[in-house]
Amino acid sequence: MNRHYKTLELDKILERLSGLTSLPDAREQALALEPQTDIKKTELLLRQTDDAVALSGRFGAPSFGGAVNCAGNLRRAEAGGCLTAGELLKIADTLRIIRTVKEWHSRCASVETALDGFFSGLISNKYLEEKITSAIISEEEISDKASNTLSDIRRKIRTASSKARETLDKIVHSSKYIKYLQDTIITQRDGRYVVPVRAECRNNVPGLVHDTSSSGQTVFIEPMGVVQANNDIRMLRNKEEEEIERILFELSANAGDFADTIIRSYNNLSQLNLIFAKAELAYSMRATLPKINDRGVINLKQARHPLIPKDKVVPIDINLGGDFDTLVITGPNTGGKTVTLKTLGLLTLMAMCGLLVPCADNSELSVFRRVLVDIGDEQSIEQSLSTFSAHMTNIIQIIKLANAGSLCLIDELGAGTDPVEGAALAIAILERLRESRAKIASTTHYAELKEFALRTEGVENGSCEFDVATLKPTYRLLIGVPGKSNAFAISKRLGMEQDIVARAQELVSGENRQFEDVVETLEKRRQSLERQVENANRLTAKANTEKQKAENELRRAKADAEREIERAREEAQRIISRTRAQADALVEELEKARREKELSAEGRSKLRRDINQMEAHADPVKLKNTPDEEYKLPRPLKVGDEVLIYDIDKNATVLAPPNKDGVVLVQAGIIKTRVDIKNLRLLKSKLKPNTPKFAATRNVPSRMDVRPETEVDVRGQTAIEAIGIVDKAIDNAVLSGVSKLTIIHGKGTGVLRREINQYLRRHKAVKSQRLGTFGEGEDGVTIVELK
């Protein structure tokens, strides 16, 4: 691996990735991954990994276990070679995995991804898979179902073996031979059935000797009675082997016919295995998809080094390549400067390899043609190189290779030599690298480099925060703030004598002390501002929480209002249902009265009370319980008085005086209703007695006193309006005892005539209906006979 990549520990990430693969080829591909310098290829690789993460999260990852690279075997079969049973089974297992992965994709094919090309390259071959698995049971056993010939041969072998064993069984249990046998068992030698005979009795059992025991006391004799059977079995065994070889040749030829498609499918399967391993690695690191550019702009948010344990890693924010192309990071030892460089370099390489990076959403990384690194102590005794010499050797190579497409990461620039010379050399190196337009991140302890960053445009200070109170680093990277080494504070807290520390502070030049004081002042102000921002964020979060609570309350109030409205609708529906039932009961009473041809005064009074009670129940508006309950009308109400319906705050006009139950018929707008007299307030303004507006309604009778006409004219009305008028006329006629009603609907288009006649046929109070005759209006009227 490239030395710079290995310094950033990319090899460890790839080893972790390879451990998540299932296929040997995918494992090798993972270890051989190299960062892509082309932005299009990098974006494609990242999109593939991100799509694999999405598919795994939604449908679960597919299984790749059991597949192997059979390219060599397939090419040999394609050339006419014969594969073994084990090799054919491996091909069948690989075909099974290809088929299951293909079926897995078919369940989530509705989601279009960058992996569709790999999935479409998977060609399942269930025919060959089943042909192999049905013919081969294991590496050592071929199934009887492999061919009819093999099944017939094995059946004959079983028959011959059974005959031979029967003959031998008679021998080993006969009184004639049992005394010569070492044991009453039947065994085999070289595939032939034999019996164990004592060595001294070998001449007493006629047959062929095939073997002798290691002790020499037992000889294995094939009795003459089973020689032919054993010969038959041997011949059948040879035929069996020939048939098995023929079957393997046939299966190998079939596999060779599909060699190209199987090899291509396996290659796609291997690529998919690698991509889903990347997805699994991203999930384990809680990684996200970064934005990619080729302008050298890096903006990492909450970036975490993937090799530091999750419970110890501290997220950092890193910017480079935007407002500045060079970042000089300062701070105490063990403060996290080197980890910052490695995080920056490693996450860049991971993204270029198509790996998602452990950072927050909307982070941005760039592709670089070269990532050049000088990190760590590389002194060499064999090459007679000191630490400084080793660093300079690396930096010289970096300067030669650096260009506009390079990212240079240098740790402890200029260290290991005289501080004055080292600082000057470090500044000169940074200036040369900037001239080559490379993006640079470097760590240092030199105050001169801090000053260089402050006075040079395009160079920015950064520092790793250190808590002097606890003597521990916070590992936070602060962009735009130079850091302090804190050597005096650390030494003092570790137990260094005060006078030594004080003397050291005196020896520091006044310029350096002044610079460090300025840095300390800036740091205090930064921390103060940070606390203020944190407090403001906390207040903002609290305000947002309160706002969210208010919005939730508003939503709940709206929901409660909707529920109340729904309950009101249900209550209105119940009122309507109850009123309809009461109305039907009244109609029944009216029909009964009509049949009896008369209605007594008591019955008429009861009917009127029922109607009034029904109307009162049908009014869902209840009286308000107010302090004004003791209101008394200044005078009795008269027809035409203007009143206020108190509970609904609505003006109305009295149409009829109150009945004996205290219920008044009033008209509010176009609505006529009956209202309890206690709910009415007489208004001061009173209409003039001769106002034409009320002339028609001043003497409106109650419903019981209506005397309907025997003719109803509905010409010019719509069908719905006409039916309403006819319905009301029929009700009035029934109440008044009228038995015949003439409906004038005109001839016109015939719509009114048709709709009215259909309605009359369904009406319970209609006995019959007919069109008019000559002199009655002919088909322009309908004559109705009531029951």
Side-chain angles (χ1 to χ4, degrees), residues 308-324:
I308 299 177
K310 295 178 182 179
D311 56 340
K312 295 181 180 180
V313 67
V314 177
I316 57 175
D317 296 338
I318 310 174
N319 297 321
L320 182 63
D323 298 332
F324 51 91

Side-chain angles (χ1 to χ4, degrees), residues 64-113:
F64 298 91
V68 294
N69 190 347
C70 304
N73 296 332
L74 288 167
R75 292 305 181 196
R76 183 155 51 89
E78 189 179 24
C82 181
L83 304 183
T84 64
E87 291 170 340
L88 288 167
L89 283 178
K90 289 179 181 178
I91 293 174
D93 287 342
T94 300
L95 288 173
R96 177 179 57 81
I97 298 298
I98 292 171
R99 177 174 53 83
T100 55
V101 173
K102 183 80 171 178
E103 291 172 353
W104 178 90
H105 179 250
S106 66
R107 294 195 297 271
C108 53
S110 58
V111 182
E112 185 175 352
T113 68

Side-chain angles (χ1 to χ4, degrees), residues 48-176:
Q48 290 172 352
T49 305
D50 190 55
D51 287 345
V53 170
L55 289 175
S56 298
R58 186 173 176 182
F59 303 102
S63 174
F64 298 91
V68 294
N69 190 347
C70 304
N73 296 332
L74 288 167
R75 292 305 181 196
R76 183 155 51 89
E78 189 179 24
C82 181
L83 304 183
T84 64
E87 291 170 340
L88 288 167
L89 283 178
K90 289 179 181 178
I91 293 174
D93 287 342
T94 300
L95 288 173
R96 177 179 57 81
I97 298 298
I98 292 171
R99 177 174 53 83
T100 55
V101 173
K102 183 80 171 178
E103 291 172 353
W104 178 90
H105 179 250
S106 66
R107 294 195 297 271
C108 53
S110 58
V111 182
E112 185 175 352
T113 68
L115 305 177
D116 292 346
F118 293 114
F119 283 110
S120 62
L122 298 177
I123 309 300
S124 58
N125 192 336
K126 198 170 183 179
Y127 162 75
L128 179 60
E129 175 193 344
E130 290 182 346
K131 189 169 184 180
I132 293 174
T133 53
S134 63
I136 303 175
I137 298 175
S138 66
E139 294 185 7
E140 294 82 20
E141 184 178 2
I142 305 297
S143 173
D144 291 353
K145 300 177 181 178
S147 72
N148 293 330
T149 302
L150 181 63
S151 177
D152 185 57
I153 291 172
R154 287 183 172 175
R155 180 179 55 78
K156 291 179 179 178
I157 290 175
R158 288 191 294 271
T159 302
S161 297
S162 177
K163 291 180 179 179
R165 292 184 64 85
E166 286 178 2
T167 303
L168 291 175
D169 192 58
K170 291 178 181 178
I171 293 174
V172 298
H173 289 93
S174 68
S175 57
K176 179 179 180 181

Side-chain angles (χ1 to χ4, degrees), residues 368-429:
F368 294 96
R369 285 195 289 272
R370 294 189 182 93
V371 177
L372 306 172
V373 180
D374 178 54
I375 297 176
D377 187 356
E378 299 186 16
Q379 64 178 342
S380 171
I381 296 176
E382 294 179 359
Q383 299 179 19
S384 300
L385 293 178
S386 65
T387 300
F388 176 77
S389 300
H391 280 301
M392 283 301 105
T393 301
N394 291 337
I395 291 172
I396 290 169
Q397 293 297 321
I398 290 174
I399 292 173
K400 290 180 180 179
L401 296 173
N403 55 27
S406 300
L407 173 63
C408 301
L409 305 174
I410 305 175
D411 191 26
E412 300 292 352
L413 180 59
T417 187
D418 178 76
V420 175
E421 294 180 354
L425 187 59
I427 292 173
I429 291 171

Side-chain angles (χ1 to χ4, degrees), residues 548-563:
Q548 187 64 37
K549 287 182 180 178
E551 291 176 352
N552 292 338
E553 288 295 332
L554 180 61
R555 282 196 294 270
R556 280 197 293 269
K558 288 182 178 179
D560 292 342
E562 290 176 359
R563 284 195 294 271

Side-chain angles (χ1 to χ4, degrees), residues 572-766:
Q573 187 63 38
R574 286 195 294 271
I575 291 172
I576 291 171
S577 300
R578 184 171 63 246
T579 304
R580 283 177 178 169
Q582 293 174 347
D584 290 342
L586 287 175
V587 170
E588 291 294 332
E589 290 185 16
L590 289 173
E591 290 182 356
K592 180 179 179 183
R594 189 186 61 76
R595 286 194 298 270
E596 293 176 357
K597 300 298 183 182
E598 62 180 7
L599 189 62
S600 63
E602 181 180 355
R604 186 181 297 275
S605 176
K606 178 178 180 301
L607 191 59
R608 186 179 289 110
R609 285 197 304 273
D610 289 345
I611 292 174
N612 292 339
Q613 183 179 6
M614 179 183 70
E615 290 183 346
H617 287 164
D619 186 1
V621 180
K622 304 299 180 184
L623 293 177
K624 294 192 292 187
N625 185 16
T626 66
D628 201 21
E629 288 180 350
E630 300 302 325
Y631 174 83
K632 292 184 179 180
L633 291 169
R635 61 175 176 79
L637 295 176
K638 296 183 297 184
V639 175
D641 283 341
E642 286 191 5
V643 293
L644 174 70
I645 304 176
Y646 182 68
D647 56 357
I648 64 174
D649 196 26
K650 184 74 175 176
N651 290 357
T653 303
V654 176
L655 298 181
N659 59 17
K660 62 180 182 178
D661 295 324
V663 177
V664 184
L665 178 65
V666 299
Q667 181 170 0
I670 63 172
I671 303 299
K672 293 181 182 180
T673 183
R674 294 183 182 275
V675 183
D676 195 311
I677 194 170
K678 296 178 181 179
N679 194 29
L680 297 177
R681 304 291 184 266
L682 182 63
L683 300 178
K684 292 183 180 180
S685 60
K686 183 178 180 183
L687 292 176
K688 296 180 180 180
N690 294 326
T691 302
K693 181 178 181 179
F694 296 98
T697 61
R698 184 175 300 156
N699 296 319
V700 174
S702 67
R703 187 176 296 175
M704 292 300 299
D705 297 328
V706 170
R707 295 184 178 278
E709 298 181 359
T710 59
E711 288 185 354
V712 180
D713 190 350
V714 296
R715 287 175 294 182
Q717 307 292 330
T718 65
I720 295 176
E721 292 172 344
I723 289 173
I725 294 171
V726 170
D727 181 70
K728 184 176 180 181
I730 292 174
D731 287 346
N732 291 339
V734 170
L735 289 172
S736 302
V738 175
S739 60
K740 184 176 180 181
L741 188 65
T742 301
I743 302 173
I744 303 173
H745 45 65
K747 298 180 180 179
T749 60
V751 174
L752 279 180
R753 180 178 68 249
R754 184 178 66 253
E755 294 297 329
I756 289 173
N757 276 273
Q758 288 180 359
Y759 169 75
L760 293 174
R761 280 194 289 270
R762 297 193 303 268
H763 202 290
K764 295 181 179 179
V766 176

